[in-house]
Amino acid sequence: MAVFVALGAFLMTLAGGWTAQRVTDRRHLVLGLAGGLMLGVVGLDLLPEALRAAGREIFGVPAALLLFVAGFLLAHLVERTLALRQAAHGGDEHGHRAPEVGLTAAGAMVGHSAMDGVAIGAAFQVGGGMGTAVALAVIAHDFADGFNTFTITSLYGNARRRAIGMLIADACAPVLGALSTVFLTIPETVLGGYLGLFGGVLLYLAAAEILPEAHHEHPARSTLLCTVAGAAFIWLVVGISG
């Protein structure tokens, strides 16, 4: 049952990526929406769950928040390192963005989708009702995951075939994650720490890369409205699934 439900997440992820591809003539709106979706996922979904799961504090600060900050700084460090290396080799064809950053970020999205599949499988082990609730939440926000995976990969100058490849990997990840629960159980504290770290990476990409790019050439009110709509959509998903 868990694998069958994960197939729904597979289809929803592909639908999100397909949507991102079809609206390339409104790139600033796509980026604005992606930024809003990512902000909503971080602030309304990942961080609350990370704080609940990670539990313990380290020197007066919740471990999940420390890892959240570490994730933000890690994403910044990786991007600066790769960008400096690209500049040293005279590469500026992508506006000083290193394609490797896009692939790394998309890879993190794939890892997160695999964890979604694990969550579905673990929830069905607890009971059918719990499994259904978790599955609905995962399927709903996997549209945003697919949308963001394709957008992030493309934003950093990667070829369309690479973006599609990462999208397909992101779509397959929940199915593989659900299958893994037959053999694997992840401790809740480890899961909470992972969510905090991943949330920091996503926030960096949204705030430092995607939203500035969205408003760079088209500082339109419609772009801002797309960002607000993206965050509101995640709020709606969290509210319904809760």
Side-chain angles (χ1 to χ4, degrees), residues 52-229:
R52 281 194 295 268
R56 67 192 184 95
E57 294 186 353
I58 300 177
F59 204 62
V61 178
L65 289 183
L66 287 175
L67 286 166
F68 173 76
V69 173
F72 188 97
L73 294 175
L74 177 63
H76 179 57
L77 175 64
V78 169
E79 187 198 31
R80 288 297 88 203
T81 300
L82 291 175
L84 288 173
R85 190 183 71 177
Q86 185 185 33
H89 289 81
D92 59 358
E93 66 272 22
H94 301 307
H96 303 293
R97 283 193 168 88
E100 296 91 340
V101 175
L103 291 176
T104 301
M109 296 292 293
V110 172
H112 177 60
S113 293
M115 296 298 289
D116 282 345
V118 171
I120 293 174
F124 271 103
Q125 289 178 2
V126 173
M130 174 67 73
T132 301
V134 171
L136 288 175
V138 168
I139 289 173
H141 91 249
D142 270 356
F143 179 88
D145 285 351
F147 191 100
N148 289 334
T149 297
F150 185 87
T151 302
I152 290 171
T153 309
S154 302
L155 177 64
Y156 282 86
N158 288 286
R160 185 172 180 271
R161 60 180 176 79
R162 283 189 175 182
I164 292 176
M166 295 307 297
L167 173 64
I168 293 173
D170 190 48
C172 293
V175 180
L176 297 177
L179 281 171
S180 74
T181 57
V182 178
F183 315 100
L184 175 68
T185 301
I186 299 177
E188 190 175 25
T189 54
V190 174
L191 179 61
Y194 157 77
L195 292 176
L197 185 73
F198 181 64
V201 172
L202 275 192
L203 182 63
Y204 178 83
L205 293 172
E209 296 295 326
I210 290 181
L211 289 178
E213 179 70 15
H215 291 276
H216 177 62
E217 295 181 359
H218 297 275
R221 187 177 302 173
S222 57
T223 306
L224 177 60
L225 290 176
C226 282
T227 302
V228 174

